[in-house]
Amino acid sequence: MQSAVSILVSLVNSVAVMMVIGYVVTRSRLYTNILSRKITNRDRALLILIFGAFSIYGTLSGFKIMGAVANIRDLGPAIGGLMGGPLVGLGAGFIGGLHRYLQGGFTCEACSISTVAAGVAGGAFYLFRKGRLPTVVPSILLMVAIELFHMTMNLAISRPFAQAVALIKAIMVPMILANGLGMGLYAFIVKNLVRERSVEAAKQMIEGELKVARQIQMGIVPMIFPAFPERPEFEVYAVLEPAKEVGGDFYDFFFIDEDHLFFAVGDVSGKGVPASLFMAVTITLLRTKALRIDLNRVLASVNDDLSRENKTGMFVTLFCGILDTKTGDVEYCNGGHNPPYMCRADGSVEILDVPGDLVLGALDGVYYTKRNISLGRGDTLFLYTDGVTEAMDEHGGFYTDQRLAEALKETKALPANETVERILSGVHSFASGADQWDDITILALKYCR
């Protein structure tokens, strides 16, 4: 029993070395062709040499006993056949078998034939599975069958017969276990590799789709500035930086008639694709309804539509207004959003008084309050989402409303685009390379008339 254990330990050590080398091989470019079933003749030649070398190593690292060698020589050709097909299995088996034959000994003929047969069996299994890579259990069973054939050949050919019988009794169990273990481990490595490649391919596909989704999302909001160069009475500029590929923040502005500009900034609950879809629906509803009804009724109608069949429980905070470009008068409504800042031409900054009405999408039948304010020459209305004031530095500190107000005081007399870019730059500097955890959206509307 001790002898069998010693043989098994020796063979398992050899299996371990072979598996390490085999793992390295599976990470090579060669295996990309194997996995994609695009094996060239050059690939087959390389596989023959690799698994032929495995077979030779199996002999050299074997356990010498009774004038023979307990080994894992058949493992290389068998794996070669499973991976690369009949030609690879046969070629690797011939290399391993020839090497074994040249070693001599009373089992050299039987062992050489068995090694070639191992490669042929692996290749036949490859054809049976139509090139599909092997799974663990069938691979182990195949290897067990190969080793049983190996033992049978030794009993049939090797002489003296009594010595062959004694040898088989001593090495049969360790060789079957070791070779079966090696085949199972290699099939497991390949299975994980296939799964890893599949996950990576899915990840790349998702990333590609998200990039397209980002392009679509950024195409929904106005991106061309200056937006209305033919209209000198006002300036509008905005930025949107999603925390992920896509997000739920948005801004929008458009003329509802010759002299009235609709503008809005919103923030959908959550992040990622669901938020971006909810954002797209919200913008569509706003653009459709803002052209026909009063502002407070616009929000009420959009809210009712978003609330209806809203099984996800998502909602959107929204500030929107309408600027009369002739007078500078602004009427506005607020649905649970951050109050904008009013930046006066004299450099003073104040938080706009907004009604505390409910977010959109949470409950239908909500009434929204409409209020008014007048913009004088050089006044700027600054809208933003909480990704600005809640931006965090590397220590977890927030940018805060106070810091934003102080920064806005330094933007006196600046054009709308420079105001936005200066605040955004300040937020990025504050974060100091910390991960952006929330979407950032800013819109500045400056009255110039």
Side-chain angles (χ1 to χ4, degrees), residues 371-394:
R371 292 186 180 176
N372 297 275
I373 193 173
S374 292
L375 297 180
R377 182 182 178 89
D379 291 344
T380 299
L381 196 59
F382 184 88
L383 286 65
Y384 64 98
T385 59
D386 56 13
V388 174
T389 54
E390 296 179 5
M392 288 192 297
D393 62 17
E394 57 186 358

Side-chain angles (χ1 to χ4, degrees), residues 28-78:
S28 66
R29 184 177 298 178
L30 172 63
Y31 252 72
T32 301
N33 293 343
I34 294 176
L35 295 178
S36 61
R37 303 182 195 176
K38 296 178 180 178
I39 305 176
T40 65
N41 289 332
R42 179 178 178 275
D43 295 333
R44 292 188 180 90
L46 286 173
L47 289 173
I48 288 172
L49 294 176
I50 290 170
F51 290 110
F54 274 21
S55 185
I56 293 174
Y57 172 77
T59 298
L60 297 178
S61 63
F63 188 92
K64 294 183 179 180
I65 180 173
M66 298 182 188
V69 179
N71 59 81
I72 56 169
R73 178 178 55 253
D74 296 342
L75 194 55

Side-chain angles (χ1 to χ4, degrees), residues 341-365:
Y341 281 89
M342 173 61 71
C343 305
R344 295 297 184 180
D346 61 7
S348 62
V349 175
E350 60 189 58
I351 296 178
L352 189 66
D353 181 30
V354 299
D357 293 332
L358 192 65
V359 299
L360 283 71
L363 182 68
D364 61 0

Side-chain angles (χ1 to χ4, degrees), residues 251-308:
Y251 65 82
D252 201 7
F253 50 81
F254 52 87
F255 276 100
I256 57 178
D257 60 35
E258 183 67 22
D259 300 314
H260 292 86
L261 178 76
F262 177 90
F263 60 94
V265 166
D267 184 358
V268 177
S269 61
K271 299 178 180 66
V273 174
S276 71
L277 293 174
F278 205 83
M279 161 263 197
V281 171
T282 303
I283 287 182
T284 301
L285 290 173
L286 285 172
R287 291 177 179 176
T288 302
K289 299 176 184 295
L291 300 175
R292 302 197 305 265
I293 53 180
D294 292 338
L295 187 60
N296 57 334
R297 292 174 58 199
V298 169
L299 261 68
S301 180
V302 171
N303 172 68
D304 289 344
D305 286 348
L306 292 177
S307 302
R308 191 176 299 115

Side-chain angles (χ1 to χ4, degrees), residues 291-349:
L291 300 175
R292 302 197 305 265
I293 53 180
D294 292 338
L295 187 60
N296 57 334
R297 292 174 58 199
V298 169
L299 261 68
S301 180
V302 171
N303 172 68
D304 289 344
D305 286 348
L306 292 177
S307 302
R308 191 176 299 115
E309 301 297 329
N310 184 9
K311 297 180 180 179
T312 64
M314 300 183 73
F315 59 87
V316 55
T317 67
L318 177 69
F319 180 93
C320 63
I322 297 175
L323 169 68
D324 186 329
T325 59
K326 286 185 175 181
T327 65
D329 293 335
V330 175
E331 60 179 28
Y332 62 88
C333 291
N334 187 58
H337 195 72
N338 308 69
Y341 281 89
M342 173 61 71
C343 305
R344 295 297 184 180
D346 61 7
S348 62
V349 175

